[in-house]
């Protein structure tokens, strides 16, 4: 039968995003989640909302204001997303490409751009997954918008101030994804006051443990936020997500305590992995490591037999090695992972 519709160019050929595996009763260290869970304030708030589902969400303004205070900017610099994933979508809806980003990096940038039929150039990291501003700028010359990630998922490596300034000096629109910024403590959010071409992406999913509620945000100069607000679906963050974000931001000390524990766990994992494999130094809550000459499949299955799920990458095109990524869990989960590694 002749089709009466037309798929956007590029969409049919796209791979579907495959999230980290979940199995009941297994320790999941595959999606860079925060296994300490949210603040009690969040839990109590959500319980109290159970009979309020009849209302459309109405606290977007309050959330923008509270996030702005947390990030050290003004409300007019904040746009909320159904996860920061959605802010990426808003950007590609609003701004023409072509786009460019690093490789390997978070796959959703490329997916979002391709869905809109935009070109996307991937520039490989240098050895050790280090960012090379000069190489990036020259290889991404044809692009109008850059997606950068610091600390980068999946490598855990960061972009220095000097390198970021070089990229910003091109005048292109620079999207800097800071999903894991709380684990480094070093944000460039305040740079949006100086750079009119900078959008910083952040999320409540990681440090604040609200991944399941889907709430993230963009921080940008007012002119850019105004544009993104025009393409944003009206009620893109749920009332539960909004109230949970407000409650989580009332309990920043809880978040900071867990971030400190996660960082300690990450460093323990790094030390344990160093004895057998080749881990990459990470500024985030996870570690990427090369398990060769073992294959990523073999390592993944060994962990699975111990009821631990890690993220299997295998080979990165153009890079030697067989890669796995693991995030720090609770102290007990991290200990179990380390024991499993020691027993390989
Ligand atoms: C670099 C990066 N950005 C964004 C996200 C997604 O964030 P959100 O849950 O807010 O959509 C992730 C999730 O893994 C990530 O690793």
């Amino acid at each position: 039968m002749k089709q009466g519709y037309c798929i956007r160019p590029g969409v049919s050929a796209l791979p579907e995003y495959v999230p980290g595996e979940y199995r009941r009763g297994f320790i999941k260290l595959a999606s860079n989640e925060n296994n300490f869970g949210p603040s009690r304030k969040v839990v109590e708030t959500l319980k109290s909302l159970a009979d309020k589902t009849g209302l459309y969400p109405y606290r977007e303004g309050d959330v923008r204001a509270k996030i702005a205070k947390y990030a050290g900017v003004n409300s007019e610099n904040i746009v909320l997303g159904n996860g920061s994933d959605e802010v990426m979508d808003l950007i590609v809806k609003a701004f023409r490409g072509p786009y460019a980003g690093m490789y390997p990096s978070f796959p959703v940038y490329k997916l979002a751009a391709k869905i809109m039929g935009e070109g996307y150039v991937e520039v490989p990291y240098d050895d050790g997954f280090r960012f090379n501003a000069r190489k990036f700028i020259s290889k991404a010359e044809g692009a109008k918008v850059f997606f950068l990630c610091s600390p980068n998922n999946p490598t855990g490596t960061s972009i220095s101030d000097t390198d970021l300034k070089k990229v910003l000096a091109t005048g292109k629109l620079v999207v800097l994804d800071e999903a894991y910024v709380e684990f480094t403590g070093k944000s460039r959010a305040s740079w949006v006051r100086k750079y009119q071409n900078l959008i910083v992406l952040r999320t409540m999913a990681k440090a604040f443990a609200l991944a399941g509620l889907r709430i993230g945000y963009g921080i940008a100069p007012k002119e850019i936020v105004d544009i993104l607000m025009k393409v944003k679906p009206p009620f893109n963050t749920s009332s539960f997500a909004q109230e949970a974000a407000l409650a989580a931001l009332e309990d920043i000390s809880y978040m900071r305590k867990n971030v400190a524990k996660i960082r300690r766990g990450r460093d323990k994992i790094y030390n344990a992995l160093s004895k057998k494999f080749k881990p990459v130094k990470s500024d985030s809550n996870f570690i990427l490591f090369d398990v060769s000459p073992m294959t990523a499949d073999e390592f993944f299955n060994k962990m699975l037999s111990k009821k631990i799920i890690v993220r299997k990458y295998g080979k990165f095109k153009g890079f030697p090695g067989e890669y796995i990524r693991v995030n720090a869990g609770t102290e007990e989960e991290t200990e179990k992972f380390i024991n499993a590694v020691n027993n390989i």
Side-chain angles (χ1 to χ4, degrees), residues 7 177 232:
I7 302 165
D177 187 345
K232 184 183 82 62

Side-chain angles (χ1 to χ4, degrees), residues 30-304:
S31 297
N32 301 344
E33 289 153 331
N34 179 344
N35 294 359
F36 286 100
S39 152
R40 289 311 300 169
K41 288 195 179 182
V42 170
V43 177
E44 293 311 318
T45 300
L46 290 175
K47 279 185 190 163
S48 74
L49 281 173
D51 61 353
K52 301 267 180 357
T53 58
L55 300 178
Y56 281 102
Y58 63 94
R59 300 205 64 189
E60 185 172 331
D62 295 337
V63 180
R64 288 175 76 191
K66 199 146 188 134
I67 285 175
K69 190 157 172 248
Y70 170 64
V73 294
N74 299 323
S75 288
E76 64 187 25
N77 300 118
I78 303 290
V79 56
L80 300 186
N82 192 276
S84 55
D85 282 354
E86 195 198 27
V87 188
M88 296 163 203
D89 262 347
L90 302 184
I91 292 167
V92 297
K93 267 161 102 180
F95 295 96
R96 295 292 292 268
Y99 283 73
M102 296 301 296
Y103 178 82
S105 193
F106 190 52
V108 176
Y109 315 138
K110 183 174 173 183
L111 261 180
K114 290 280 183 185
I115 287 167
M116 293 304 287
E118 296 288 0
Y120 191 97
V121 176
E122 285 181 309
V123 181
Y125 272 95
D126 274 1
D127 288 350
F129 301 108
R130 276 171 295 113
F131 181 73
N132 178 334
R134 211 149 31 99
K135 177 165 120 189
F136 179 73
I137 293 164
S138 107
K139 300 253 184 219
E141 205 188 350
K144 289 194 163 59
V145 188
F146 300 149
F147 269 112
L148 299 178
C149 188
S150 182
N152 182 47
N153 178 8
T155 62
T157 50
S158 295
I159 299 174
S160 70
D161 283 357
T162 318
D163 278 341
L164 185 60
K165 281 178 190 167
K166 282 185 195 158
V167 179
L168 284 161
T170 60
K172 309 275 180 78
L173 185 58
V174 179
V175 184
L176 180 70
D177 187 345
E178 288 192 344
Y180 300 96
V181 75
E182 283 88 355
F183 301 101
T184 74
K186 188 178 180 326
S187 171
R188 275 69 171 248
S190 64
W191 290 25
V192 303
R193 288 200 211 102
K194 176 164 179 205
Y195 293 96
Q196 293 308 301
N197 57 330
L198 175 63
I199 304 177
V200 175
L201 300 184
R202 297 254 203 103
T203 178
M204 302 290 293
K206 309 293 179 181
F208 289 98
L210 301 187
L213 287 166
R214 315 304 302 127
I215 184 154
Y217 51 100
I219 307 168
K222 181 181 182 307
E223 294 68 26
I224 290 181
V225 168
D226 288 350
I227 299 281
L228 296 176
M229 291 298 276
K230 288 179 205 264
V231 296
K232 184 183 82 62
F235 300 107
N236 62 334
T237 54
S238 73
S239 48
F240 286 81
Q242 292 179 2
E243 296 285 357
L246 291 167
L249 290 162
E250 282 293 319
D251 201 358
I252 289 179
S253 64
Y254 172 82
M255 178 277 284
R256 291 210 202 287
K257 250 187 281 167
N258 289 336
V259 163
K261 287 184 201 164
I262 290 166
R263 284 169 53 133
R264 279 198 292 276
R266 172 201 67 196
D267 293 343
K268 276 189 177 175
I269 291 176
Y270 180 88
N271 291 336
L273 288 171
S274 300
K275 293 182 193 134
K276 300 201 169 178
F277 304 108
K278 283 159 271 174
V280 181
K281 261 270 176 235
S282 167
D283 292 326
S284 198
N285 63 344
F286 57 83
I287 292 189
L288 184 74
F289 54 107
D290 173 8
V291 295
S292 61
M294 195 185 264
T295 66
D297 262 324
E298 280 167 342
F299 184 93
F300 180 85
N301 289 330
K302 274 194 199 308
M303 291 299 118
L304 211 54

